[in-house]
Structure formats: structure tokens, C-alpha cells
Amino acid sequence: MMRSNANRLMAVRRVTQINKGRRTPGIDQKVYETPAERLQLAQELVTIRVNDWQPLPVKRIYIPKKPAKMRPLGIPTQLDRCFQAIVKNALEPYWEAQFEHFSFGFRPGRRATDAITAIFKFTLKGARLIILDADIKGAFDNMSHDPIMDNIGNSPTRFIVRKWLEAGIMEGVEFSPTPQGTPQGGIVSPLLANIALHGMEAAIGMERSNHQGWQCPTVLVRYADDFVAMSWTVEDNRIAEAKLQDWLSPRGLEMSAEKTTTRHLDEGFDFLGFHIRRYPAKATKRSGFRVMVTPAKENVSRIKDDLREIYKRRRTHKTDNLIAEINPKIRGWCLYYRHCSSWNTFAKLTTFLWHRNWRWALRRHSNKGTNWTKVKYFNSNWRLVGEDKVMLKFTDFKYIRLPSLLTGASPDNPDEEEYWEKRRSIPSVGLKAKAKLWRRQKGLCEFCKGELDNGEEIVQHHLDPERPRYILDNQVLIHETCHQKAHHQRTA
């Protein structure tokens, strides 16, 4: 894999064409945008010798995390990012066969909703009522390098991985060494973090019985540096917490005192933007209780605040511009939460959205009547419409049950290709029209004939610009880069 030309070209494509940060340079200020520049970058990668290569420091930038908080990122140069993608593709298949089943963060074929589904099943069937909701304090910044290198062992990539870890950080003109931690922002950093945290399930004695399931006192579900430990008793939970503290300490890590709490399931807890809680249900459940997973109140408030800000900023803009900015927000939020008990939340947010649309329309024409405003801006279903666009509603997205991830299942296993294709098709489609196109094309890009679900943005391309855009026979699903090529060929 380190010597593979195909791996090298795929790395260049991912860094310079697919990734969202493809136009973000490192400290060398180089960005490869044209085909000639990308070919030159691929040829430059051929000449790199792993043992002799010296990576440049990463560029420190900050992005908003929560109100009044910023998340530090380390942006490598694009050449280093390509080299990291090559190394990641070489290391990942081996480690995917080693990683624990209930580790879900930054792994192919796994997502946050898989972690929530696992938690739901443990709390529903196993009567695990004592919950340790924990967060590792500054995991990416404080992680010791030695455990990572020890786990990597004699891999040919060990020398360059050590150099990346110790490359340092440039913040403005100031250089800071990195004796510990792996900067967020690098392509290989999430994999290295998972390698460092591998073994948490074994640390608390988590074992599976083939006939009786997970019968250990405490089970753990981890998503990157956030995890939940579920126990039968308070004493079991305390023992597991002590074991985890002892296991994290040699790795330079500790649990955050602010974000780590022990609660009963009846109190409920938030994890990955979801709220999991047990409620009384004596009339409908034999056990007398039911466990429900709903969107967390904090995240509901955040999407409302984001929508208010968009309406405020687009007060005088065209209707199509407003819809173009709001629709992706609605689609992304609903696709994330559609696998839980979210119908009531979606209904309330749809009502909220209608009120914002109505206020926005009335303020634009304060001297007009309400009937005139309705005819101009809304259709018969009270959707906001523009010249070419129609605003989505939260209730357009129906509940879809996400099946549990099979124990030991891997996207690299050719015998499970059909299983993974079915899983990929569930979250990758939003509305019915897009779902029909996905099934019609059998999950393949109509332009390059590659898999649509390869991490790249998916675009609905219109074959004939002269025909109506809403006709399905005039639409195909293609990758974003393929969409650019298709329009370039059309104009040429």
C-alpha cells in the first residue's frame, strides 16, 4: 500500500478534490487546484522516501465549538496531508480487524447513530441503569506518543508517524514543540487516536458470551474520546471508573471532571447530541418502563438559533437565496436525528419554521395584505417557494430504523459486501426522489461509475438544462467533482 500508485493517486484526489479543506493551505501556503498541479503533486510523492522525509509543522487555527469556546486545529501542508492519506490507507485495514466492536468514532462504515443504537439495546434489554457518561480531557492534545508507537510496533510507517507527532505547531510566527498529543486536523490523526485508545473494553473486563450476550458487570460504548459505561449497580460502575482511570493514566490522559457524571437511567443523559432516558410505561410495557432516545434540548435550541441568524442575515435577500441556505441545514439535522424518536421534535420545529417564514415574508412587504403575501411566497401546502426552489420541512423526513451493527462486521470483508451496501443506502438518501435515483443507479455515480458513498458530496445533476429540473428522468446522482467535470464538458 505504501508503494501503490493507485493509493497515491487516491490520496491526491481526496486531499485536493474531495475533502472540504481542499482549499486550505498549510504553513507553505500551497494549494493544488488545477489538474497539472495535482499531477505534479502525485509525481512529487513518488520521490519521497519514508525514512528521509521531514514533515513541516502544522498551522494552528481555531474554529467555534460551542458558545464562548474554540476548538484548536492543526492544518498540515497539502503534501503532508497526501502522505498521511497514503499511510492511513495502509494502516487502517489492519487496525479495523483489531479494533473493539463498540468503538464507533472515525471508523469506516460506522456513525454516531450506531453508538446510540448500541446504548439503547444495552439499557433496554440488560437493565443497565447506572450510567457513567465520561469525556477524556483534552484527548488529542495530551495523548502520550509512546502508547501509539508501541501499538504500531514494527510497521514500516513507524518512522514517519513519529515525525508527524513531533513536527510541532506554528501559530502565527511562533513555533511550539509537540512532545505529546496528535493535532486535530490531520488526516491520520483520528486513526492514531483510535490506536491509542484501543483496549478500553478489555480494561474493564468486557467479554462476550456466544450464547448469553454481554454478561460482564459493565459495558462500554465509545465514540472517539467520548464514552458511556453502563453497569448493573453503582458499585460495578465505581469499579469500572477506577479501572478506566488507571488505564488512561499511563497514556497521559484523564477523565474530565466537568463532563463526567454518574446518573441513573431514570434521570437521563445526553450523548452525541441525543438524550437517552427511561420513562414509566405501565400500561403498554410488561416491564413497566420504556427507554426513549430523542434529540437533546441543547441541540434543538442550537438549530433554532442558527435558523434565526439566517433569517436575520437574509432579511432583504431573494427567496431562493434564503431557501438555498436553510434547506441544507434542515436536511443535515434531520438525517442525523431521523433514527430516533424525533417525530414530536420535527413537528415542533416545522411549526417554528413556518412562523419564521411568515414573519420574514410580512416584514418584506409591510404595506401589503396577508392574502397577497401568502399568494406571493407560499404554495397551497404553506411551503415557502421561490423561482426555482421550495423550502423543506422537518416533517418531510420520516423515521428510519437503523439496524444494529453485526459483531465483527468489516467493510473490508468481500463476503459482507451486500450487507454494507444496504447499510450505506439507508443514511445516504434524504427525500424520496433522491432515494429513487439511488436505487435506480444501484449506488453508483452516473459519471465515473464509482460508488456514490465514498465520502464525497453527492449532487443531483440535471442532464438537459432545457427540460424541467423536477423531472426524475432528467436527474442523476453524481459526485461533486464529477459534477464540475460534467459542466466543464457541457460548456466546452
Side-chain angles (χ1 to χ4, degrees):
M1 287 295 289
M2 292 294 294
R3 297 173 182 174
S4 167
N5 186 56
N7 187 17
R8 190 181 304 114
L9 295 177
M10 283 300 300
V12 172
R13 183 171 187 263
R14 178 162 296 278
V15 170
T16 62
Q17 295 180 269
I18 296 179
N19 286 359
K20 292 184 179 180
R22 58 186 176 271
R23 294 187 179 89
T24 304
I27 63 171
D28 62 351
Q29 298 301 317
K30 288 185 179 179
V31 178
Y32 303 84
E33 295 183 330
T34 66
E37 291 173 340
R38 291 193 285 269
L39 180 60
Q40 180 185 357
L41 176 61
Q43 293 172 344
E44 189 175 352
L45 287 169
V46 177
T47 63
I48 293 178
R49 293 179 59 87
V50 175
N51 296 347
D52 300 334
W53 176 248
Q54 184 58 48
L56 294 174
V58 299
K59 181 173 70 174
R60 174 71 84 195
I61 64 172
Y62 295 89
I63 61 172
K65 182 180 178 183
K66 287 183 179 180
K69 287 189 177 182
M70 303 293 286
R71 181 193 296 275
L73 295 183
I75 307 300
T77 64
Q78 290 208 338
L79 181 60
D80 274 323
R81 270 181 266 173
C82 290
F83 204 7
Q84 287 187 17
I86 293 172
V87 171
K88 178 177 180 289
N89 291 338
L91 282 176
E92 193 170 59
Y94 168 80
W95 279 101
E96 276 300 309
Q98 305 295 323
F99 283 146
E100 294 151 323
H101 177 65
F102 292 107
S103 165
F104 296 97
F106 307 120
R107 294 182 58 187
R110 295 169 179 246
R111 56 185 76 88
T113 45
D114 289 322
I116 298 300
T117 302
I119 293 173
F120 175 76
K121 295 212 167 185
F122 276 131
T123 54
L124 182 67
K125 294 182 178 179
R128 300 180 187 273
L129 304 179
I130 309 303
I131 310 297
L132 174 67
D133 181 13
D135 176 79
I136 300 175
K137 185 177 181 180
F140 284 87
D141 296 330
N142 301 319
M143 194 177 295
S144 177
H145 295 168
D146 291 336
I148 298 176
M149 302 310 302
D150 291 342
N151 287 343
I152 289 178
N154 292 325
S155 168
T157 64
R158 62 189 182 279
F159 301 108
I160 189 61
V161 169
R162 172 72 78 174
K163 290 179 181 179
W164 278 325
L165 292 173
E166 298 176 349
I169 296 171
M170 289 293 294
E171 189 166 357
V173 295
E174 294 185 5
F175 173 80
S176 301
T178 51
Q180 59 188 19
T182 170
Q184 299 182 66
I187 288 179
V188 78
S189 294
L191 176 61
L192 296 180
N194 274 332
I195 292 174
L197 296 174
H198 174 62
M200 291 185 72
E201 290 183 15
I204 62 172
M206 191 172 169
E207 297 180 355
R208 178 183 174 86
S209 170
N210 292 333
H211 302 289
Q212 297 179 345
W214 299 89
Q215 294 299 312
C216 40
T218 302
V219 293
L220 183 140
V221 174
R222 180 172 66 86
Y223 190 90
D225 57 339
D226 296 331
F227 63 89
V228 170
M230 294 157 283
S231 306
W232 286 322
T233 66
V234 175
E235 185 62 28
D236 291 337
N237 202 273
R238 289 174 180 171
I239 293 173
E241 183 176 2
K243 288 181 179 179
L244 289 172
Q245 288 282 17
D246 294 340
W247 186 84
L248 290 171
S249 183
R251 291 160 175 77
L253 303 173
E254 61 179 355
M255 284 187 272
S256 172
E258 299 176 355
K259 299 181 180 179
T260 301
T261 58
T262 300
R263 298 183 181 182
H264 194 280
L265 189 59
D266 291 346
E267 302 176 54
F269 66 98
D270 292 345
F271 187 66
L272 302 178
F274 294 86
H275 183 74
I276 303 101
R277 186 175 178 181
R278 191 177 75 158
Y279 295 89
K282 296 180 180 179
T284 57
K285 294 289 182 179
R286 182 179 298 178
S287 63
F289 297 92
R290 72 166 51 179
V291 178
M292 291 190 64
V293 181
T294 57
K297 290 182 179 180
E298 181 182 356
N299 287 36
V300 175
S301 299
R302 192 176 301 164
I303 187 65
K304 287 183 177 181
D305 292 340
D306 290 345
L307 292 176
R308 289 189 187 100
E309 181 61 30
I310 294 174
Y311 281 104
K312 183 178 180 181
R313 190 171 62 251
R314 297 284 187 179
R315 190 176 298 168
T316 59
H317 288 223
K318 289 184 177 180
T319 309
D320 281 343
N321 294 341
L322 174 71
I323 296 173
E325 187 170 359
I326 286 182
N327 274 359
K329 284 274 186 184
I330 298 174
R331 184 180 293 109
W333 204 87
C334 291
L335 290 179
Y336 186 74
Y337 287 108
R338 70 188 304 182
H339 306 295
C340 70
S341 303
S342 54
W343 176 252
N344 288 338
T345 303
F346 284 2
K348 291 177 182 178
L349 286 174
T350 297
T351 302
F352 167 83
L353 190 69
W354 180 87
H355 283 292
R356 301 306 305 185
N357 286 335
W358 185 242
R359 290 181 61 186
W360 180 83
L362 288 177
R363 285 179 176 177
R364 291 170 67 87
H365 303 281
S366 56
N367 59 337
K368 299 289 186 178
T370 55
N371 288 335
W372 183 93
T373 303
K374 179 185 181 302
V375 171
K376 179 173 177 60
Y377 288 103
F378 296 89
N379 62 12
S380 58
N381 294 325
W382 283 98
R383 290 180 185 267
L384 189 69
V385 295
E387 295 180 3
D388 297 319
K389 299 182 182 297
V390 180
M391 184 171 287
L392 297 174
K393 293 181 180 181
F394 286 87
T395 50
D396 289 335
F397 297 82
K398 309 303 181 185
Y399 169 79
I400 291 182
R401 182 179 181 183
L402 190 65
S404 299
L405 189 66
L406 292 178
T407 303
S410 170
D412 297 319
N413 188 347
D415 296 334
E416 298 170 348
E417 183 177 354
E418 184 177 349
Y419 167 76
W420 287 102
E421 177 60 31
K422 183 179 179 181
R423 275 183 59 86
R424 281 195 294 265
S425 66
I426 293 174
S428 299
V429 295
L431 300 178
K432 292 182 179 179
K434 198 172 181 182
K436 289 181 180 178
L437 294 175
W438 181 284
R439 289 191 293 269
R440 188 176 72 187
Q441 298 173 208
K442 298 181 179 179
L444 299 179
C445 173
E446 193 68 19
F447 190 86
C448 69
K449 303 303 180 181
E451 288 189 0
L452 283 168
D453 190 25
N454 67 348
E456 190 174 354
E457 293 292 331
I458 300 172
V459 180
Q460 286 178 258
H461 174 60
H462 299 88
L463 299 173
D464 185 356
E466 302 298 328
R467 296 177 63 195
R469 300 171 65 90
Y470 56 84
I471 298 178
L472 278 183
D473 291 340
N474 191 35
Q475 298 179 23
V476 290
L477 296 180
I478 60 177
H479 298 123
E480 184 181 11
T481 53
C482 296
H483 191 233
Q484 297 170 1
K485 294 177 184 177
H487 278 276
H488 178 72
Q489 291 179 0
R490 181 182 292 174
T491 55

